[in-house]
Amino acid sequence: MAEKKSKLAEIKTKQTSASVEDFINAVKDEQKRNDSFAILEMMKKATGEEPKMWGGSIIGFGNHRYKSPASGREVDWLIIGFSPRKANLSLYLGMNINQHADALKKLGKHKTGVGCLYINKLEEIDVNVLKGMIDASLPAKKG
């Protein structure tokens, strides 16, 4: 009798052992590098976890099994994270950016994608609103 296979999907972006600090220090744009270290500290403080590289360009905190409501596929993915991309800072604050609709109105200059928040510089947003969004993205702490 054959065992039922798990629907755990194989994805390219996986947690690696690469140095987060080395990755951020390699960011050429000084503003983006400084903002990245600031976001790193915000997320580290909010999660109580050490950051890990996911693939070659995403800094993530924690991980959980995410199940796609559309396909039923399951993947291991970061709880929150960010990436200093060439165009902007991409923040991953859960799978549904719309859960932050009220905070987004107060945030300042930004754009959103399906599961991402895009900002150019921290000086263009309200950092306290961002901190609240980071906290709201985390699973409720037990205990």
Side-chain angles (χ1 to χ4, degrees), residues 8-140:
L8 185 62
E10 198 60 36
I11 59 173
K12 291 180 195 170
T13 306
K14 297 179 187 166
Q15 195 171 303
T16 73
S17 59
S19 167
V20 170
E21 200 167 291
D22 289 350
F23 172 70
I24 295 175
N25 279 324
V27 173
K28 289 180 174 57
D29 181 285
E30 185 180 0
Q31 173 85 48
K32 198 164 282 171
R33 188 171 54 249
N34 291 339
D35 286 354
S36 293
F37 276 117
I39 293 168
L40 182 77
E41 288 307 312
M42 279 182 231
M43 290 187 171
K44 203 189 278 193
K45 186 175 180 184
T47 63
E49 298 199 25
E50 287 301 310
K52 303 282 185 202
M53 289 300 301
W54 285 73
S57 64
I58 297 175
I59 299 160
F61 292 83
N63 68 50
H64 67 107
R65 178 108 353 126
Y66 171 72
K67 184 174 183 175
S68 167
S71 68
R73 284 180 12 156
E74 294 182 4
V75 296
D76 287 326
W77 193 242
L78 50 102
I79 295 173
I80 62 170
F82 72 99
S83 181
R85 307 258 184 220
K86 190 172 187 171
N88 48 40
L89 293 158
S90 301
L91 284 80
Y92 306 97
L93 303 175
M95 293 296 168
N96 181 4
I97 198 68
N98 295 328
Q99 77 184 33
H100 302 289
D102 290 339
L104 288 169
K105 292 175 191 165
K106 302 174 198 157
L107 183 63
K109 187 176 177 183
H110 71 278
K111 292 180 185 167
T112 58
V114 175
C116 295
L117 170 66
Y118 305 108
I119 59 174
N120 295 322
K121 301 174 190 154
L122 286 180
E123 67 187 26
E124 296 177 341
I125 63 160
D126 184 328
V127 175
N128 289 323
V129 172
L130 178 61
K131 286 178 183 175
M133 291 173 67
I134 290 170
D135 288 342
S137 299
L138 300 174

